[in-house]
Amino acid sequence: QVELVESGGGLVQAGGSLRLSCAASRSIVSAKYMGWYRQPPGKQREMVATITRDGTTNHADSVKGRFTISRDNAKNTVYLQMNSLKSEDTAVYYCKYSRQFMVDQWGEGTLVTVSS
């Protein structure tokens, strides 16, 4: 099992930037992939971005060109750089750790609020 702690959320004006961090309690090198997901108010959780063990990234169409996922294996941390934020980016952002033969692990989430 792995514990994930997200941080970096907060209130920001539209057009602004935030960087989210996800610190894992164990090495993330063993994860098949790590990901950021979000759940807007009253909506279902959706994928924002993922990064595989070899560094391959995938970003949702709605955030391409604005958000960037990255990882620092030495710090067991995954980041989500969010630029040009829009009001529709308002959501609770969750970090996920996925590994073969293990149930996906989720953090508690961090709230991002974008004011227009």
Side-chain angles (χ1 to χ4, degrees), residues 3-94:
E3 293 184 1
L4 304 171
V5 179
E6 301 99 334
S7 61
L11 175 64
V12 63
Q13 288 188 334
S17 298
L18 284 175
R19 189 177 81 155
L20 305 183
S21 299
C22 171
S25 61
R26 62 182 293 178
S27 173
I28 62 173
V29 173
S30 56
K32 182 178 180 181
Y33 71 89
M34 302 283 296
W36 284 100
Y37 293 71
R38 67 185 181 187
Q39 187 164 13
K43 297 184 179 180
Q44 292 189 337
R45 193 173 299 188
E46 61 184 10
M47 187 275 288
V48 176
T50 60
I51 184 166
T52 65
R53 182 182 296 138
D54 65 2
T56 301
T57 62
N58 181 40
H59 295 79
D61 288 343
S62 58
V63 306
K64 280 181 180 177
R66 300 188 299 122
F67 292 10
T68 303
I69 189 171
S70 63
R71 61 192 291 164
D72 185 334
N73 292 335
K75 296 183 178 180
N76 296 328
T77 300
V78 177
Y79 302 99
L80 184 68
Q81 178 65 45
M82 305 187 296
N83 299 327
S84 302
L85 282 160
K86 305 176 182 179
S87 57
E88 51 262 46
D89 295 320
T90 294
V92 177
Y93 284 72
Y94 297 91

Side-chain angles (χ1 to χ4, degrees), residues 86-105:
K86 305 176 182 179
S87 57
E88 51 262 46
D89 295 320
T90 294
V92 177
Y93 284 72
Y94 297 91
C95 179
K96 184 172 89 168
Y97 172 103
S98 182
R99 180 180 175 181
Q100 195 174 15
F101 307 124
M102 178 186 285
V103 175
D104 289 342
Q105 304 292 302

